[in-house]
Amino acid sequence: MNLVLKPAETFREDYTARNSDAAILRFPFPFHEDKYMYSVNMEPHVPGGASPVYDAVFDLDEHYIGECVDRAITLADDPMRCFVMPHLIDAEWDTLELLMESLAKDYPEQFTLSKDGAAWHWVNRPLAIDQKFTFGDASTLPYPPFEFITRQVQGDFTLQDQRDNNLFVEGGMVTTQADWSLNFDAGMSFMEWHGPVPVAHQAGVFERALTYLLRLQYGKPVRRLNWTLTANPRLDTSPENYPIWGPEKTAITPENVGARLCLRVEVQTLTRLPRSNAILFGIRGYLIRLEELTRVPKWARRMHRVIRDLHPEIAAYKGMTGYRQIIVDHLAAFDDGAATSPGT
Ligand code: HEM
């Protein structure tokens, strides 16, 4: 897969991160119709689809180096953004194996994995990592296996143990989250960690999603999309750092909304792991400024209608109450009232 990497950009303070034309065109625009409601929107995670971001098992893009640097900054400040409970050690190795094999297969120019029995050799050229280690022996790596590999991949990851007909979130690397905390949720069950989400519980969405996930098979990963809005292309919108990014939301005005406000889309993947029977949840976030998104007229038109007509409880949950009208007014200029057809 062709991967052209930019030098490190920033996702905090001066926010130099921008999307190239190619990155805009591959953005996973999440709305397939002019309205949005929660649903059990899961489909097989197979190559192909509306955007090239689905072509690799774990998609990397031009922001790879900057996002890995940003993750390292967040971890230096708060090491607890990555932890795995000790009983999930097999899931750590499962994750390392899955990510290394997938990256080496999908991006052979950037990554190489060689194996001689348990003696493995991992080469990550963009980050200048050349690591020989013994698979199954954590003492041969500079970090625990899950942390070692997820420091080198874009997007967050959580590990769910399956027992008692339920899923429990008991590990993760979470440095780019949309206002939730792994530390707070640790040990919670599927319904518990989804507790704050409005509307979806009453609609039976989580009951059906859990039933589906408990039967997730090895070798048959699934994916779904989620979205929210963020002020500036900031990756770390954690509750822990709300005092930093909260004020940036209240600084959105009609004059700066196009340049600052970002649509944030998560391509979420769910993969059954072989040794541990745990589920790896990948949350791969993509950020696009409104001024980038509105270069695609059909996206601008549709987003205007989605935000304008969004259920008020969902709008409040996604934190857009303060600037919703500013966005709607801004996007109205791109909506010619034309009828649209389903699809992105
Ligand atoms: C929101 C985790 C799978 C649907 C959330 C939140 C978390 C989370 C932490 C934020 C809750 C908060 O506000 O504190 C996970 C994990 C999953 C998972 C670890 C892995 C098993 C799913 C699945 C669905 C789903 C399979 C399918 C229906 C949702 C929805 C929201 C949500 C609709 C609200 C998102 C929004 O409006 O921005 N999830 N989730 N989740 N989740 Fe999940």
Side-chain angles (χ1 to χ4, degrees):
M1 234 155 282
N2 188 26
L3 180 61
V4 180
L5 301 178
K6 288 182 172 180
E9 311 160 287
T10 56
F11 294 88
R12 56 183 75 214
E13 289 153 14
D14 60 348
Y15 296 110
T16 61
R18 301 207 151 262
N19 289 303
S20 66
D21 289 353
I24 293 172
L25 286 174
R26 77 195 297 277
F27 188 80
F29 187 71
F31 307 119
H32 61 274
E33 54 184 350
D34 288 350
K35 56 187 183 197
Y36 176 79
M37 178 41 73
Y38 291 144
S39 63
V40 188
N41 55 337
M42 285 190 272
E43 60 178 4
H45 185 38
V46 289
S51 158
V53 305
Y54 303 123
D55 289 349
V57 180
F58 295 97
D59 180 61
L60 303 183
D61 67 13
E62 62 184 19
H63 306 296
Y64 174 71
I65 295 174
E67 291 197 22
C68 290
V69 169
D70 192 79
R71 165 157 291 162
I73 295 170
T74 301
L75 285 169
D77 189 44
D78 182 359
M80 283 305 285
R81 297 296 188 87
C82 181
F83 70 83
V84 181
M85 294 187 191
H87 63 283
L88 287 180
I89 183 64
D90 284 348
E92 292 204 40
W93 288 107
D94 282 338
T95 304
L96 176 139
E97 176 185 54
L98 174 70
L99 289 175
M100 285 186 177
E101 286 187 345
S102 302
L103 295 185
K105 179 168 164 288
D106 288 332
Y107 304 101
E109 282 178 28
Q110 285 78 20
F111 306 95
T112 307
L113 177 65
S114 332
K115 298 179 187 174
D116 180 5
W120 289 28
H121 183 190
W122 170 246
V123 180
N124 175 337
R125 288 176 201 86
L127 298 185
I129 294 170
D130 185 316
Q131 182 70 47
K132 293 185 172 144
F133 63 100
T134 305
F135 187 85
D137 181 354
S139 70
T140 58
L141 285 170
Y143 296 103
F146 180 85
E147 177 169 354
F148 177 72
I149 193 58
T150 54
R151 276 178 176 264
Q152 302 176 47
V153 188
Q154 285 171 271
D156 287 343
F157 292 90
T158 63
L159 285 171
Q160 284 63 230
D161 193 26
Q162 181 163 332
R163 55 181 189 269
D164 304 332
N165 238 5
N166 212 331
L167 295 171
F168 297 87
V169 59
E170 292 177 332
M173 166 67 88
V174 179
T175 63
T176 71
Q177 69 270 50
D179 202 8
W180 66 277
S181 163
L182 175 65
N183 240 323
F184 183 78
D185 285 0
M188 287 189 187
S189 68
F190 190 84
M191 293 300 175
E192 285 170 342
W193 80 63
H194 280 119
V197 182
V199 181
H201 289 273
Q202 300 87 309
V205 166
F206 290 123
E207 218 167 288
R208 291 199 297 281
L210 177 60
T211 304
Y212 184 104
L213 288 184
L214 291 173
R215 288 162 179 71
L216 187 68
Q217 288 176 30
Y218 174 64
K220 294 192 177 167
V222 296
R223 66 178 176 234
R224 64 180 295 270
L225 291 182
N226 188 40
W227 68 276
T228 192
L229 301 175
T230 302
N232 298 312
R234 185 175 177 88
L235 294 172
D236 174 25
T237 46
S238 56
E240 289 89 344
N241 280 335
Y242 185 81
I244 299 173
W245 57 269
E248 295 180 3
K249 287 172 60 170
T250 53
I252 295 285
T253 66
E255 291 69 40
N256 66 26
V257 64
R260 290 200 193 167
L261 198 87
C262 295
L263 172 62
R264 185 200 138 104
V265 173
E266 297 174 352
V267 175
Q268 303 180 339
T269 53
L270 294 131
T271 309
R272 176 74 67 192
L273 298 175
R275 298 171 186 78
S276 56
N277 199 42
I279 289 180
L280 178 69
F281 184 54
I283 312 158
R284 171 70 166 91
Y286 298 82
L287 291 162
I288 189 167
R289 297 174 196 254
L290 278 196
E291 66 185 11
E292 295 171 336
L293 181 144
T294 52
R295 290 178 58 199
V296 181
K298 65 177 183 177
W299 290 355
R301 185 196 293 131
R302 177 155 286 169
M303 184 141 164
H304 170 243
R305 299 173 189 184
V306 167
I307 302 295
R308 180 192 63 197
D309 301 337
L310 192 63
H311 190 297
E313 279 187 62
I314 297 180
Y317 172 73
K318 288 178 186 284
M320 69 177 77
T321 309
Y323 49 56
R324 182 176 181 183
Q325 197 54 46
I326 296 176
I327 304 166
V328 173
D329 292 345
H330 179 80
L331 291 175
F334 298 88
D335 190 346
D336 56 6
T340 61
S341 47
T344 53

Coordinates of all heavy atoms in Angstrom, one line a residue, residues 36 38-42 158 160 167 169 178-181 185 190 193-197 200 205-206 209 213 224 226-228 268 270 279 281 283 314 317-318, ligand 1:
Y36 N -29.0 11.4 11.1 CA -28.2 10.4 11.9 C -28.9 10.0 13.1 O -29.5 10.8 13.8 CB -26.8 11.1 12.3 CG -26.0 10.2 13.2 CD1 -25.3 9.1 12.6 CD2 -26.0 10.3 14.6 CE1 -24.5 8.3 13.4 CE2 -25.3 9.4 15.3 CZ -24.5 8.4 14.8 OH -23.8 7.6 15.6
Y38 N -28.3 6.6 16.3 CA -27.6 5.5 16.7 C -28.2 4.2 16.2 O -29.4 4.1 16.1 CB -27.6 5.4 18.2 CG -26.8 6.5 19.0 CD1 -27.3 7.0 20.2 CD2 -25.6 7.0 18.4 CE1 -26.6 8.0 20.8 CE2 -24.9 8.0 19.1 CZ -25.4 8.4 20.3 OH -24.7 9.4 21.0
S39 N -27.3 3.2 15.8 CA -27.8 1.9 15.4 C -26.7 0.9 15.6 O -25.6 1.3 16.0 CB -28.1 2.0 13.9 OG -26.9 2.3 13.1
V40 N -27.0 -0.4 15.4 CA -26.0 -1.4 15.5 C -25.3 -1.5 14.1 O -25.5 -2.4 13.4 CB -26.6 -2.8 15.9 CG1 -25.5 -3.8 16.2 CG2 -27.5 -2.6 17.1
N41 N -24.5 -0.5 13.9 CA -23.9 -0.3 12.5 C -22.6 -1.1 12.4 O -21.5 -0.5 12.3 CB -23.7 1.2 12.2 CG -22.9 1.9 13.2 OD1 -22.8 1.5 14.4 ND2 -22.3 3.0 12.9
M42 N -22.7 -2.4 12.4 CA -21.5 -3.2 12.3 C -21.5 -4.0 11.0 O -22.5 -4.4 10.6 CB -21.4 -4.2 13.5 CG -21.0 -3.5 14.8 SD -20.5 -4.6 16.1 CE -22.1 -4.9 16.8
T158 N -8.4 -0.9 23.0 CA -8.8 -1.4 24.3 C -8.9 -2.9 24.2 O -9.1 -3.5 23.2 CB -10.1 -0.8 24.9 OG1 -11.2 -1.2 24.1 CG2 -10.0 0.7 25.0
Q160 N -10.9 -6.3 25.8 CA -12.0 -6.7 26.5 C -11.9 -8.2 26.8 O -11.8 -9.0 25.9 CB -13.3 -6.5 25.7 CG -13.8 -5.0 25.7 CD -12.8 -4.1 25.0 OE1 -12.5 -3.0 25.5 NE2 -12.3 -4.4 23.9
L167 N -18.7 -8.6 28.5 CA -17.3 -8.1 28.1 C -16.9 -7.1 29.2 O -17.7 -6.2 29.6 CB -17.3 -7.4 26.7 CG -17.6 -8.3 25.6 CD1 -17.8 -7.5 24.3 CD2 -16.5 -9.3 25.4
V169 N -13.8 -4.2 30.1 CA -12.7 -3.5 29.5 C -11.6 -3.5 30.6 O -11.8 -2.9 31.7 CB -13.1 -2.0 29.1 CG1 -13.7 -1.2 30.1 CG2 -11.9 -1.3 28.4
A178 N -12.4 10.6 22.7 CA -13.4 11.6 22.7 C -14.0 11.7 24.0 O -15.1 11.2 24.2 CB -14.4 11.4 21.6
D179 N -13.3 12.3 25.0 CA -13.9 12.7 26.3 C -14.4 11.5 27.1 O -15.5 11.5 27.7 CB -15.0 13.7 26.1 CG -15.3 14.5 27.4 OD1 -14.5 14.3 28.4 OD2 -16.3 15.2 27.5
W180 N -13.6 10.4 27.2 CA -13.9 9.3 28.1 C -12.5 8.9 28.7 O -11.5 9.1 28.1 CB -14.7 8.2 27.5 CG -14.0 7.4 26.5 CD1 -13.8 7.8 25.1 CD2 -13.2 6.2 26.6 NE1 -13.1 6.9 24.5 CE2 -12.7 5.9 25.4 CE3 -13.0 5.4 27.7 CZ2 -11.9 4.8 25.2 CZ3 -12.2 4.2 27.5 CH2 -11.7 4.0 26.2
S181 N -12.6 8.2 29.8 CA -11.4 7.8 30.5 C -11.2 6.3 30.7 O -12.1 5.7 31.3 CB -11.3 8.6 31.9 OG -10.4 8.0 32.7
D185 N -13.1 3.9 33.5 CA -13.9 2.8 33.0 C -13.4 1.4 33.3 O -14.0 0.4 33.1 CB -14.1 2.9 31.4 CG -15.1 4.0 31.1 OD1 -15.6 4.6 32.0 OD2 -15.4 4.1 29.8
F190 N -19.8 -4.1 29.6 CA -20.3 -3.4 28.3 C -21.4 -2.4 28.6 O -21.3 -1.3 28.1 CB -20.8 -4.5 27.3 CG -21.0 -4.0 25.9 CD1 -20.0 -3.9 25.0 CD2 -22.3 -3.6 25.5 CE1 -20.2 -3.4 23.7 CE2 -22.5 -3.2 24.2 CZ -21.5 -3.1 23.3
W193 N -19.9 0.7 30.9 CA -19.1 1.7 30.3 C -19.9 2.5 29.3 O -19.6 3.7 29.0 CB -17.8 1.2 29.8 CG -17.8 0.5 28.4 CD1 -18.1 1.1 27.2 CD2 -17.4 -0.8 28.2 NE1 -17.9 0.2 26.2 CE2 -17.5 -1.0 26.8 CE3 -17.0 -1.9 28.9 CZ2 -17.3 -2.2 26.1 CZ3 -16.7 -3.1 28.3 CH2 -16.8 -3.3 27.0
H194 N -21.0 1.9 28.7 CA -21.8 2.7 27.8 C -22.9 3.5 28.6 O -23.8 4.1 27.9 CB -22.5 1.8 26.8 CG -21.6 1.4 25.7 ND1 -21.2 0.1 25.4 CD2 -20.9 2.2 24.7 CE1 -20.4 0.1 24.4 NE2 -20.2 1.3 23.9
G195 N -22.9 3.4 29.9 CA -23.9 4.1 30.7 C -24.2 5.5 30.3 O -25.4 5.9 30.2
P196 N -23.3 6.4 30.0 CA -23.6 7.8 29.8 C -24.3 8.1 28.4 O -24.7 9.2 28.2 CB -22.2 8.5 29.8 CG -21.3 7.6 30.4 CD -21.8 6.2 30.2
V197 N -24.3 7.1 27.5 CA -24.8 7.4 26.1 C -26.3 7.5 26.2 O -27.0 6.6 26.7 CB -24.3 6.2 25.2 CG1 -24.8 6.5 23.8 CG2 -22.8 6.0 25.2
A200 N -29.6 5.4 23.0 CA -29.2 4.1 22.4 C -29.7 2.9 23.4 O -30.1 1.9 22.9 CB -27.7 4.0 22.2
V205 N -30.0 -0.8 21.4 CA -28.8 -0.8 20.5 C -27.7 -1.6 21.2 O -27.1 -2.5 20.6 CB -28.3 0.6 20.2 CG1 -26.9 0.6 19.6 CG2 -29.3 1.2 19.2
F206 N -27.5 -1.4 22.5 CA -26.4 -2.0 23.2 C -26.6 -3.5 23.5 O -25.7 -4.3 23.5 CB -26.0 -1.2 24.5 CG -25.4 0.1 24.2 CD1 -26.0 1.3 24.7 CD2 -24.3 0.2 23.4 CE1 -25.4 2.5 24.4 CE2 -23.7 1.4 23.1 CZ -24.3 2.6 23.5
A209 N -25.9 -5.2 20.3 CA -24.5 -5.1 20.0 C -23.7 -6.1 20.8 O -22.8 -6.8 20.3 CB -23.9 -3.7 20.2
L213 N -21.4 -9.3 19.7 CA -20.0 -9.3 20.0 C -19.6 -10.6 20.7 O -18.5 -11.1 20.6 CB -19.5 -8.1 20.8 CG -19.5 -6.8 20.1 CD1 -19.0 -5.7 21.0 CD2 -18.6 -6.9 18.9
R224 N -17.2 -0.6 12.6 CA -18.3 0.4 12.7 C -17.7 1.8 12.7 O -16.5 1.9 13.0 CB -19.2 0.1 13.9 CG -18.6 0.4 15.2 CD -19.6 0.1 16.4 NE -20.7 1.0 16.3 CZ -20.7 2.2 17.0 NH1 -19.6 2.6 17.7 NH2 -21.7 3.0 16.9
N226 N -18.0 5.8 14.2 CA -18.6 6.7 15.2 C -18.0 8.1 14.9 O -17.0 8.2 14.2 CB -18.2 6.3 16.6 CG -18.9 7.1 17.7 OD1 -20.1 7.3 17.6 ND2 -18.1 7.4 18.7
W227 N -18.7 9.1 15.4 CA -18.2 10.5 15.0 C -18.5 11.4 16.2 O -19.4 11.2 17.0 CB -18.9 11.0 13.7 CG -20.3 11.2 13.9 CD1 -21.3 10.2 13.8 CD2 -21.0 12.4 14.2 NE1 -22.5 10.8 14.0 CE2 -22.4 12.1 14.3 CE3 -20.6 13.7 14.5 CZ2 -23.3 13.1 14.6 CZ3 -21.5 14.7 14.8 CH2 -22.9 14.4 14.8
T228 N -17.8 12.5 16.2 CA -18.1 13.6 17.1 C -17.4 14.9 16.5 O -16.8 14.8 15.4 CB -17.7 13.3 18.6 OG1 -18.2 14.4 19.4 CG2 -16.2 13.3 18.8
Q268 N -13.9 2.1 14.0 CA -13.7 1.1 15.1 C -13.7 -0.3 14.6 O -14.6 -0.7 13.9 CB -14.8 1.3 16.1 CG -15.0 2.7 16.6 CD -16.1 2.9 17.6 OE1 -17.0 2.1 17.7 NE2 -16.1 4.0 18.4
L270 N -13.3 -4.5 15.7 CA -13.4 -5.4 16.8 C -12.9 -6.8 16.3 O -13.4 -7.3 15.3 CB -14.9 -5.5 17.2 CG -15.4 -4.2 17.8 CD1 -16.7 -3.8 17.2 CD2 -15.5 -4.4 19.3
I279 N -11.3 -9.6 23.2 CA -11.6 -8.8 22.0 C -10.8 -7.6 22.0 O -10.7 -6.8 23.0 CB -13.1 -8.5 21.9 CG1 -13.9 -9.7 21.6 CG2 -13.4 -7.4 20.8 CD1 -15.4 -9.5 21.5
F281 N -10.4 -3.9 20.6 CA -11.2 -2.8 20.1 C -10.3 -1.7 19.6 O -9.6 -1.1 20.4 CB -12.1 -2.3 21.2 CG -13.1 -1.3 20.8 CD1 -14.0 -1.5 19.7 CD2 -13.2 -0.1 21.5 CE1 -15.0 -0.5 19.4 CE2 -14.2 0.9 21.1 CZ -15.0 0.6 20.0
I283 N -9.8 1.9 17.9 CA -10.5 3.2 17.7 C -9.6 4.1 16.9 O -8.7 4.8 17.4 CB -10.9 3.8 19.0 CG1 -11.5 2.8 20.0 CG2 -11.8 5.0 18.8 CD1 -11.3 3.2 21.4
I314 N -28.6 13.7 21.7 CA -27.3 13.2 21.1 C -26.4 14.4 20.9 O -25.2 14.4 21.2 CB -27.6 12.5 19.8 CG1 -28.4 11.2 20.1 CG2 -26.3 12.1 19.1 CD1 -28.8 10.4 18.9
Y317 N -24.9 15.2 24.2 CA -23.9 14.2 24.6 C -22.6 14.4 23.9 O -21.5 14.3 24.4 CB -24.5 12.8 24.4 CG -23.4 11.7 24.6 CD1 -23.0 11.4 25.8 CD2 -22.9 11.1 23.5 CE1 -22.1 10.4 26.0 CE2 -21.9 10.1 23.6 CZ -21.5 9.8 24.9 OH -20.6 8.8 25.1
K318 N -22.7 14.8 22.6 CA -21.5 15.0 21.8 C -20.8 16.4 22.1 O -19.9 16.8 21.4 CB -21.8 14.9 20.3 CG -22.1 13.4 19.9 CD -22.4 13.3 18.5 CE -22.8 11.9 18.1 NZ -21.7 10.9 17.9
Ligands
HEM1 C1 -19.7 5.3 23.2 C2 -16.4 2.0 24.5 C3 -18.3 -1.1 21.3 C4 -21.8 2.0 20.4 C5 -18.7 4.7 23.9 C6 -17.9 5.2 24.9 C7 -17.0 4.3 25.3 C8 -17.2 3.1 24.4 C9 -15.9 4.4 26.3 C10 -18.0 6.6 25.6 C11 -19.0 6.5 26.8 C12 -18.9 7.7 27.6 O1 -19.5 8.7 27.3 O2 -18.3 7.6 28.7 C13 -16.6 0.9 23.7 C14 -15.8 -0.3 23.7 C15 -16.3 -1.2 22.9 C16 -17.5 -0.5 22.3 C17 -14.6 -0.5 24.6 C18 -15.7 -2.5 22.6 C19 -16.3 -3.7 22.8 C20 -19.4 -0.6 20.8 C21 -20.3 -1.2 19.9 C22 -21.3 -0.3 19.6 C23 -21.0 0.9 20.4 C24 -20.1 -2.6 19.3 C25 -22.4 -0.6 18.6 C26 -23.6 -0.2 18.7 C27 -21.5 3.2 21.0 C28 -22.2 4.4 20.8 C29 -21.6 5.4 21.6 C30 -20.5 4.7 22.3 C31 -23.4 4.7 19.9 C32 -22.0 6.9 21.7 C33 -21.0 7.6 20.8 C34 -21.2 9.1 20.5 O3 -22.3 9.5 20.3 O4 -20.2 9.8 20.3 N1 -18.2 3.4 23.6 N2 -17.6 0.7 22.8 N3 -19.9 0.7 21.1 N4 -20.5 3.4 21.9 FE1 -19.1 2.0 22.4

